């Protein structure tokens, strides 16, 4: 008896042409990360639940499908699927510190899992692409300047349209709150981070319930309203009349980032002082990235500086990292806006088969083309040539190769888009570079 297939929400599965588009994005990200000197690593899918659950107010809710794997694996602790790649990476650094060369620059492109209700842009299983730089004892600030420039390089090569990288420094917020006499700085940060979700009135109400005075609330909201694409934000903060050494340090660092960005990535970064990030381990610069045509979609790339996440009790490995939400980005580009590839297969040439007795000849031609890096497929049947051309056309394969079709018995290749057919030699013929691999068909909304 046949079982009805029921889709499960929260998991992305693409059709072949869409999958090619996804691979193009992943390959582009990977190549840019390597261009900037990051080395690839891979970490296991599970971590101890107690480690995963200790990273923020709602972190325990993120752990997907926790089972008592410990009994099965013979381990003394409960394990859960990781919901990001930063926590596993910090554990990886501690375990392998004696084998790594610091400062260590890593990139990691892997799935993660979150135990939340699937909704637009949020999935149960998703791919993240992370870069991090960690050092021993102390991490120079200039790495916090470098990371958003790497992301700008990535997005400059992808069909994402116009975007903005929002940057803040938690030292600004923490120093400002301390200067106001606020005791629970972390809770205030978490509340301010909800501005986009519940609005200024909602945040003010929550802050009042947490014991803040009216003037403190007014000042907190005034700080969160400050935003600029240059270094002028610092003057606006000073004008609020609050002082604290930590505030001074944060302003100096964010000013340095905006100054460099203005020269090397003009118009891409914006200082936005309401950005806080919800995870507790961030201690300095924080980043969030929005698509300008759909800012309500939320951040597609985020991260920040952390000083104490990776530690073995004797030595601390501070770091800074940023993560591209690949599945979140592609949910919009592919799933909603129709980004796809020009064909559903990487094949550029279909070699026709005259009859089954001559299939070996077609296989020799295919082998010669493949040896020169041309993706080639031999026709599955020795059908009429019209049928074989139709087979290629349905898959978007641009060329069909006909063995011995010329007047003197030479091979010929046909561009089935234009109908042009000419003599060809498998040892020298090559398609135009744009036909060698599938290209992306960007929807008009991306630009």
């Amino acid at each position: 008896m046949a079982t009805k297939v029921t889709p499960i929400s929260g998991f992305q599965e693409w059709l072949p042409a869409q999958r090619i588009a996804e691979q193009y994005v992943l390959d582009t990200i990977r190549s840019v990360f390597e261009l900037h000197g990051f080395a690839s690593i891979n970490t296991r899918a599970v971590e101890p639940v107690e480690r995963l659950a200790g990273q923020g107010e709602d972190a325990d809710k993120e752990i997907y499908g926790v089972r008592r794997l410990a009994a099965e694996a013979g381990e003394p602790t409960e394990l859960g699927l990781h919901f990001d790649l930063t926590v596993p990476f910090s554990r990886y650094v501690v375990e392998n510190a004696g084998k790594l060369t610091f400062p260590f620059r890593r990139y990691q492109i892997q799935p993660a899992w979150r135990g939340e209700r699937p909704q637009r842009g949020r999935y149960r299983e998703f791919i993240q692409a992370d870069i991090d730089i960690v050092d021993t004892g102390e991490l120079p600030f200039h790495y916090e300047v470098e990371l958003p420039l790497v992301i700008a390089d990535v997005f400059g090569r992808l069909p994402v349209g116009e975007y903005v990288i929002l940057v803040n420094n938690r030292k600004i917020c923490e120093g400002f709150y301390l200067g106001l006499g606020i005791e629970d700085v972390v809770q205030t940060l978490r509340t301010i981070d909800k501005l986009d979700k519940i609005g200024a009135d909602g945040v003010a109400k929550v802050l009042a319930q947490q014991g803040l005075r009216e003037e403190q609330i007014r000042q907190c909201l005034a700080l969160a309203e400050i935003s600029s694409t240059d270094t002028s934000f610092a003057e606006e903060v000073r004008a609020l009349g609050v002082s604290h050494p930590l505030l001074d340090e944060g302003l100096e660092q964010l000013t340095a980032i905006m100054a460099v960005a203005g020269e090397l990535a003009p118009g891409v970064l914006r200082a936005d002082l309401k950005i806080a990030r919800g995870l507790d381990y961030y201690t300095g610069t924080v980043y969030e990235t929005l698509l300008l045509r759909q800012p309500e979609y939320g951040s597609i790339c985020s991260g920040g500086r952390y000083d104490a996440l990776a530690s073995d009790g004797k030595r601390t490995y501070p770091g800074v990292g940023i993560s591209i939400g690949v599945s979140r980005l592609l949910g919009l580009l592919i799933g909603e806006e129709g980004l796809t590839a020009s064909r559903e297969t990487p094949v550029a040439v279909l070699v026709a088969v005259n009859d089954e007795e001559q299939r070996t000849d077609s296989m020799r031609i295919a082998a010669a083309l493949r040896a020169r890096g041309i993706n080639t497929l031999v026709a599955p049947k020795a059908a009429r040539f019209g049928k074989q051309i139709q087979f290629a056309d349905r898959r978007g394969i641009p060329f069909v190769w006909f063995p011995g079709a010329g007047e003197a018995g030479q091979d010929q290749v046909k561009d089935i888009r234009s109908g042009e057919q000419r003599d060809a030699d498998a040892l020298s013929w090559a398609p135009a570079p744009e036909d060698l691999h599938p290209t992306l068909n960007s929807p008009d909304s991306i630009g």
Side-chain angles (χ1 to χ4, degrees):
M1 181 178 177
T3 302
K4 183 180 179 180
V5 177
T6 303
I8 301 176
S9 62
F11 297 86
Q12 286 181 338
E13 291 184 331
W14 302 120
L15 294 172
Q18 297 171 321
R19 171 62 175 157
I20 289 174
E22 179 187 46
Q23 287 180 309
Y24 176 89
V25 170
L26 291 170
D27 289 344
T28 300
I29 294 171
R30 182 181 299 109
S31 66
V32 173
F33 285 174
E34 292 182 356
L35 189 66
H36 286 262
F38 292 86
S40 176
I41 70 164
N42 193 73
T43 58
R44 67 197 185 204
V46 296
E47 297 291 335
V49 168
E50 60 184 14
R51 182 168 180 80
L52 293 172
Q55 306 307 323
E57 180 182 25
D58 297 321
D60 58 335
K61 300 177 183 178
E62 304 281 0
I63 303 171
Y64 188 150
V66 175
R67 297 176 51 205
R68 294 198 170 274
L69 301 177
E72 302 172 21
E75 298 288 343
T77 186
E78 191 174 54
L79 305 177
L81 294 168
H82 58 238
F83 58 79
D84 73 358
L85 300 181
T86 304
V87 175
F89 173 60
S90 66
R91 185 266 311 159
Y92 175 95
V93 169
V94 171
E95 286 189 4
N96 296 283
K99 304 172 186 177
L100 301 175
T101 303
F102 294 94
F104 179 51
R105 303 169 67 93
R106 137 309 197 163
Y107 81 84
Q108 193 171 348
I109 303 176
Q110 278 186 239
W113 299 266
R114 289 192 175 178
E116 60 184 8
R117 181 177 61 85
Q119 52 189 301
R120 186 181 186 225
R122 301 186 72 86
Y123 306 93
R124 292 171 172 171
E125 179 182 64
F126 52 95
I127 298 172
Q128 289 190 187
D130 287 22
I131 49 173
D132 283 79
I133 304 172
V134 297
D135 211 338
T136 56
E138 184 176 345
L139 181 75
F141 165 72
H142 64 78
Y143 292 122
E144 297 175 51
V145 182
E146 178 182 348
L147 255 59
L149 301 180
V150 178
I151 297 304
D153 195 357
V154 170
F155 287 164
R157 300 165 190 252
L158 291 175
V160 300
E162 293 186 350
Y163 65 96
V164 61
I165 301 175
L166 306 178
V167 190
N168 193 11
N169 192 304
R170 282 176 66 139
K171 294 176 183 177
I172 295 175
C173 301
E174 292 176 10
F176 190 85
Y177 302 156
L178 290 171
L180 288 173
I182 296 173
E183 295 181 1
D184 195 342
V185 169
V186 172
Q187 187 61 54
T188 304
L189 273 170
R190 289 173 177 169
T191 304
I192 292 294
D193 197 44
K194 298 176 181 177
L195 263 171
D196 288 338
K197 295 182 180 179
I198 63 176
D201 290 342
V203 166
K205 182 178 180 180
V206 174
L207 290 176
Q209 292 171 348
Q210 293 169 356
L212 270 66
R213 302 189 305 273
E214 183 176 340
E215 176 61 17
Q216 290 174 322
I217 294 172
R218 186 189 68 78
Q219 288 279 61
C220 287
L221 292 175
L223 179 71
E225 291 176 356
I226 296 175
S227 177
S228 71
T229 56
D230 52 27
T231 61
S232 63
F233 68 90
E235 296 178 5
E236 295 183 58
V237 175
R238 298 292 188 200
L240 295 178
V242 178
S243 62
H244 191 276
L246 192 61
L247 171 62
D248 295 339
E249 183 180 349
L251 287 173
E252 180 181 352
Q253 291 181 349
L254 187 55
T255 297
I257 289 177
M258 295 305 298
V260 173
E263 176 183 352
L264 300 181
V268 172
L269 270 66
R270 181 196 303 162
D272 192 317
L273 303 194
K274 71 175 180 296
I275 303 300
R277 305 294 301 145
L279 295 172
D280 291 347
Y281 52 68
Y282 292 122
T283 56
T285 306
V286 287
Y287 318 95
E288 287 193 357
T289 308
L290 302 177
L291 298 177
L292 293 183
R293 68 181 178 281
Q294 290 209 40
E296 72 281 358
Y297 191 67
S299 180
I300 57 168
C301 177
S302 59
R305 167 77 180 240
Y306 50 89
D307 285 309
L309 184 60
S311 176
D312 58 9
K314 297 180 180 179
R315 181 177 296 181
T316 299
Y317 304 90
V320 59
I322 195 164
S323 173
I324 300 173
V326 178
S327 295
R328 181 173 177 80
L329 175 62
L330 295 182
L332 179 65
L333 297 185
I334 295 177
E336 297 186 24
E337 297 180 339
L339 177 69
T340 187
S342 57
R343 53 185 189 256
E344 66 178 43
T345 173
V347 174
V349 180
L350 177 76
V351 180
V353 177
N354 295 331
D355 56 59
E356 289 302 331
E357 287 71 22
Q358 296 180 357
R359 176 171 289 275
T360 301
D361 294 337
S362 296
M363 294 173 68
R364 290 192 189 100
I365 294 168
L369 292 170
R370 290 171 185 147
R372 298 175 44 244
I374 302 172
N375 297 333
T376 306
L377 179 67
V378 177
K381 293 181 180 180
R384 298 193 308 272
F385 283 158
K387 288 286 187 180
Q388 297 190 56
I389 291 173
Q390 187 180 62
F391 177 92
D393 185 49
R394 286 178 174 174
R395 289 157 181 80
I397 300 172
F399 299 98
V400 177
W401 193 284
F402 297 106
E407 292 183 2
Q410 70 272 36
D411 294 349
Q412 292 190 328
V413 65
K414 182 184 185 72
D415 183 334
I416 64 173
R417 299 162 300 182
S418 65
E420 181 183 9
Q421 186 166 328
R422 61 176 62 184
D423 295 345
D425 185 340
L427 298 178
S428 59
W429 177 87
E434 62 270 21
D435 292 328
L436 187 58
H437 300 288
T439 57
L440 295 188
N441 296 327
S442 300
D444 294 338
S445 60
I446 293 177

